[in-house]
């Protein structure tokens, strides 16, 4: 029997892209205010700086990766000494603009009466700063207390420990096949792939269910629960 539903954060519950774009726009405005040398720098270049550093730092905490990307952006205009101030501007705007997708709160409300809800993420989207305060029985963040990032087995072991139930009673929900389907399945959890973009499902993705919107998640989890119960009867 399934008793717990645990969620990824960014691009699953949280509409992150508009918030990050808004943060980078604020950074670019500040760079142009500080020096004429930033006049020719584009938003696309600031966005590319994240991708340039992410490959080399993918295992690092997300905030460190963002600071490294901002440092690369500032170096374009000789503004490296302003990293701390610019990072403060970025994160203030990023969190001010961060909101859950419209389907999130209704889905959580529908699930809460039947399942215990958890929140477990690689990112720095703190639930209380993203419109999700008080929604979860537990929250886990990679790199707190030495917790490695998904899809490390230790991450999902921590999910199981926080839930306090065997792994087969937990379903993990997320948008990344590698992190949110393969990872939990290898750890003995069930997995639902949230495919908001309608991407073709690769044949080897071992998702127990697939939904395109969280509005469909309560029924999908109920079906998984019923199926497991019938197989155990």
């Amino acid at each position: 029997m399934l008793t717990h539903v645990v969620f990824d954060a960014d691009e699953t519950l949280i509409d992150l892209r508009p918030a990050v774009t808004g943060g980078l726009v604020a950074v670019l405005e500040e760079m142009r205010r500080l020096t004429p040398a930033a006049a020719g720098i584009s938003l696309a270049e600031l966005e590319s700086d994240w991708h340039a550093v992410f490959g080399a730092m993918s295992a690092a905490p997300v905030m460190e990766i963002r600071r490294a990307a901002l440092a690369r952006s500032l170096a374009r205009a000789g503004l490296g000494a302003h990293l701390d101030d610019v990072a403060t501007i970025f994160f203030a705007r990023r969190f001010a603009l961060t909101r859950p997708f419209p389907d999130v709160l209704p889905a959580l409300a529908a699930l809460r009466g039947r399942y215990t809800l958890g929140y477990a993420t690689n990112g720095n989207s703190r639930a209380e700063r993203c419109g999700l305060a008080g929604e979860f029985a537990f929250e886990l963040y990679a790199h707190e207390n030495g917790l490695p990032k998904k899809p490390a087995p230790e991450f999902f072991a921590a999910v199981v420990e926080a839930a306090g139930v065997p792994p087969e009673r937990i379903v993990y929900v997320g948008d990344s096949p590698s992190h949110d389907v393969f990872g939990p399945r290898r750890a003995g959890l069930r997995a639902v792939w949230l495919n908001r973009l309608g991407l073709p499902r690769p044949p080897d993705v071992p998702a127990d269910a697939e939904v395109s919107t969280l509005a469909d998640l309560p029924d999908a989890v109920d079906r998984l629960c019923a199926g497991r119960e019938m197989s155990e009867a």
Side-chain angles (χ1 to χ4, degrees), residues 22-23 26-27 30 33 84-94:
V27 167
E30 178 65 5
R33 187 188 71 81
D84 288 342
D85 290 342
V86 168
T88 296
I89 289 169
F90 171 82
F91 285 112
R93 182 68 64 85
R94 178 261 206 247

Side-chain angles (χ1 to χ4, degrees), residues 5-10 12-13 117-123 125 136 138-142 147 150 155-156 158-160 162 172-174 179-180 189:
V5 183
V6 183
F7 291 89
D8 168 57
D10 297 337
T12 296
L13 299 181
L117 306 183
Y119 184 86
T121 176
N122 278 355
S125 291
F136 305 101
F138 62 87
E139 300 172 19
L140 293 173
Y141 299 89
L147 183 64
K150 296 179 288 182
F155 184 95
F156 293 102
V159 170
V160 172
Y172 192 83
V173 182
H179 288 176
D180 305 328
L189 287 70

